[in-house]
Amino acid sequence: MNFRIEKDTMGEVKVPAEKLWGAQTERSRNNFKIGPSASMPLEIVYGFAYLKKAAAFANCDLNVLSKEKRDLIATVCDEILEGKHNDQFPLVIWQTGSGTQSNMNVNEVVANRAHQIAGKVIGEGEKTIQPNDDVNKSQSSNDTFPTGMHIAAYKKVVETTIPGIIQLRNTLHKKSIEFKSVVKIGRTHLMDATPLTLGQEFSGYVSQLDHGLKALEHTLAHLSELALGGTAVGTGLNTPEGYDVLVAKYIADFTELPFVTAENKFEALAAHDAIVETHGALKQIAVSLNKIANDIRMMASGPRSGIGEIIIPANEPGSSIMPGKVNPTQCEAMTMVCAQVIGNDVAISVGGTQGHYELNVFKPMMAANILQSAQLIGDACVSFEEHCASGIEPNHKVITELLNNSLMLVTALNTKIGYYKAAEIANTAHKNGTTLKEEAVNLGYVSAEDYDEWVKPENMVGSLK
């Protein structure tokens, strides 16, 4: 392999000749060989590309950077956003907690690529653009990394998570309408309860996702606030006047998202409550999705020895030894995703506590976890909707058998003969293996005619609207 020599404040470093990164990236690559598969998410890199381009435009407007340098920086940032240099960002999540090395990785790639665009050879002559003085002008890793975090997380939530949830939510809503007259037995404590409709049951799932979406959308206002302009500790040292507002405006323009400068830069650098808050909403949705998937898994259990009230699509063989076995694989995938998101929330909560004085030092881990959770939820919702929810159908025969066999229909007699007599009917029927109607008549508490008039499951489900 051919190498070239790159320099930083600590001296010379050998860098693979064909790579665009520089000395600080190479030092980090060698010093943090921790989980090589845990690469810094490209979404963070793209967040940096947006902010570096925006910073170049703001600095130029404020007369601290030339138009020539602005345009070179912007050109490279656009190339990064087009995915042309994905292999130039080799660093892992497990690095400095401020993300300094990833910030410098981007600075070095932009500077060296700009040198190429200017028609020069990397490693020869003075750099056309300096990584620190030009690409990083008016910035610090302490305000760029949280800005990149917010850009990446906001985009992921609005482009992947929310659309996926809405897709599943809308299908469940459609099913709740289709099933509104399908009367079935309810269950509490996993035991028989009074009737409801399958549509009512599904409407509960819709409501859960509606509340989750509202909670998630509410967090976007906090997530849209950017730390850029706070530089090292939040004071804005070495930035021209008006830079923070202007750079946020450029980021909003380039991303077409409503980003604004953070009102308080000290909070934006030292605390990541917006990430904690947003991931808390993701966790809430994961809790809801876990309940929904488990309900569907249990209602579909069988097909002959379980509950079997609904039929879900048979997508693939379920066993390498049992012929004909089909499993609720989408439910299993969804609940595993939910477990991962809930676990990520613990890590993010711990990370949020690590704001020591003027800087939180768990930024890369928090960024990686929120991006993973947002991606997983969006993808899992789409997969679950396409391969499970959209194909759910009631098993009318089983629903009717289980409904008519339930002892809890006796609850309809409470107001007619009282709780204790109704309980005696249920307990006697269960003991003797007979029906409620048989024991109600045998005990002399109601006539057959009255029983048929009073115990009608369809009259026990409340409003169907």
Side-chain angles (χ1 to χ4, degrees):
M1 179 181 292
N2 294 323
F3 293 90
R4 70 174 189 276
I5 300 298
E6 288 273 352
K7 298 179 180 179
D8 61 12
T9 57
M10 296 186 71
E12 295 183 346
V13 178
K14 286 185 177 180
V15 176
E18 76 279 7
K19 299 301 183 182
L20 294 174
W21 65 71
Q24 291 199 48
T25 302
E26 188 66 15
R27 289 188 193 280
S28 181
R29 200 164 73 98
N30 291 326
N31 291 339
F32 296 97
K33 295 180 179 180
I34 306 171
S37 63
S39 300
M40 184 64 66
L42 282 172
E43 292 90 342
I44 296 294
V45 173
Y46 299 154
F48 269 110
Y50 280 118
L51 74 88
K52 297 294 178 183
K53 179 179 178 181
F57 271 80
N59 284 324
C60 182
D61 289 355
L62 297 170
N63 301 313
V64 295
L65 187 73
S66 70
K67 289 184 178 179
E68 291 76 17
K69 290 184 176 181
R70 178 201 69 184
D71 291 343
L72 279 171
I73 292 171
T75 297
V76 180
C77 289
D78 286 341
E79 289 183 352
I80 292 172
L81 290 169
E82 292 168 6
K84 293 182 177 179
H85 304 299
N86 288 352
D87 61 343
Q88 300 299 324
F89 304 97
L91 302 187
V92 296
I93 298 162
W94 316 114
Q95 54 169 278
T96 174
S98 63
T100 299
Q101 283 113 16
S102 281
N103 179 41
M104 286 307 304
N105 184 188
V106 176
N107 290 337
E108 291 173 344
V109 169
V110 172
N112 281 333
R113 176 60 183 148
H115 198 64
Q116 284 184 333
I117 292 172
K120 302 175 183 178
V121 177
I122 298 174
E124 295 182 6
E126 183 178 352
K127 292 182 184 293
T128 304
I129 288 178
Q130 292 296 327
N132 292 80
D133 293 335
D134 298 318
V135 187
N136 202 61
K137 182 176 285 292
S138 305
Q139 301 155 58
S140 162
S141 300
N142 298 350
D143 68 348
T144 59
F145 201 94
T147 298
M149 287 168 64
H150 279 220
I151 294 171
Y154 195 108
K155 282 177 64 64
K156 185 66 72 177
V157 166
V158 300
E159 294 175 2
T160 301
T161 315
I162 291 176
I165 297 169
I166 290 174
Q167 182 174 330
L168 176 57
R169 180 263 176 211
N170 288 346
T171 291
L172 293 175
H173 178 65
K174 178 183 177 182
K175 293 296 179 180
S176 74
I177 295 172
E178 289 179 8
F179 304 157
K180 68 178 182 179
S181 298
V182 181
V183 181
K184 55 162 285 184
I185 198 64
R187 295 179 182 85
T188 59
H189 306 270
L190 293 181
M191 308 298 283
D192 293 358
T194 56
L196 77 167
T197 72
L198 189 59
Q200 289 171 328
E201 203 161 32
F202 272 63
S203 76
Y205 308 150
V206 175
S207 184
Q208 280 187 282
L209 295 185
D210 282 342
H211 284 106
L213 282 166
K214 287 179 182 178
L216 186 58
E217 290 166 352
H218 176 75
T219 69
L220 293 178
H222 198 180
L223 202 60
S224 70
E225 297 182 9
L226 303 180
L228 205 59
T231 63
V233 297
T235 60
L237 180 67
N238 290 348
T239 62
E241 185 176 354
Y243 166 80
D244 59 342
V245 174
L246 183 58
V247 75
K249 180 181 181 301
Y250 272 117
I251 291 172
D253 290 343
F254 295 153
T255 61
E256 298 182 346
L257 294 170
F259 290 113
V260 295
T261 192
E263 183 177 346
N264 189 299
K265 304 299 191 300
F266 305 103
E267 185 255 358
L269 271 63
H272 292 313
D273 294 347
I275 298 293
V276 174
E277 179 185 17
T278 301
H279 200 276
L282 293 174
K283 181 193 71 173
Q284 176 187 338
I285 291 166
V287 169
S288 296
L289 291 170
N290 197 82
K291 185 264 195 291
I292 293 166
N294 271 336
D295 275 13
I296 290 172
R297 184 204 321 241
M298 289 187 287
M299 278 193 283
S301 61
R304 295 188 177 182
S305 299
I307 293 174
E309 289 181 329
I310 62 173
I311 301 167
I312 60 175
N315 295 317
E316 60 273 317
S319 173
S320 61
I321 188 173
M322 293 177 280
K325 195 172 194 300
V326 178
N327 295 328
T329 52
Q330 289 294 320
C331 297
E332 292 164 4
M334 175 66 84
T335 51
M336 285 192 287
V337 162
C338 294
Q340 182 65 57
V341 172
I342 292 168
N344 286 351
D345 193 68
V346 174
I348 283 181
S349 297
V350 172
T353 69
Q354 303 303 304
H356 305 141
Y357 295 113
E358 278 65 62
L359 186 67
N360 178 286
V361 291
F362 269 51
K363 300 181 195 298
M365 181 276 289
M366 296 180 74
N369 276 8
I370 192 170
L371 289 171
Q372 184 192 49
S373 293
Q375 183 77 51
L376 284 175
I377 288 177
D379 289 350
C381 283
V382 171
S383 179
F384 193 83
E385 187 277 330
E386 291 180 350
H387 302 293
C388 182
S390 62
I392 293 174
E393 295 295 340
N395 188 337
H396 293 283
K397 180 177 182 292
V398 172
I399 286 175
T400 300
E401 288 176 354
L402 294 177
L403 175 66
N404 291 336
N405 198 42
S406 173
L407 298 174
M408 290 305 100
L409 297 180
V410 79
T411 307
L413 296 178
N414 280 5
T415 59
K416 306 297 183 182
I417 62 175
Y419 177 91
Y420 295 102
K421 290 181 179 179
E424 184 182 355
I425 292 171
N427 290 334
T428 304
H430 183 53
K431 178 181 178 181
N432 295 336
T434 53
T435 67
L436 290 174
K437 182 176 180 180
E438 287 175 319
E439 294 303 337
V441 174
N442 289 341
L443 290 168
Y445 294 147
V446 297
S447 66
E449 293 74 18
D450 285 340
Y451 183 92
D452 291 338
E453 178 65 27
W454 294 337
V455 183
K456 292 182 177 180
E458 64 273 17
N459 292 341
M460 301 172 67
V461 299
S463 173
L464 296 180
K465 294 181 181 180

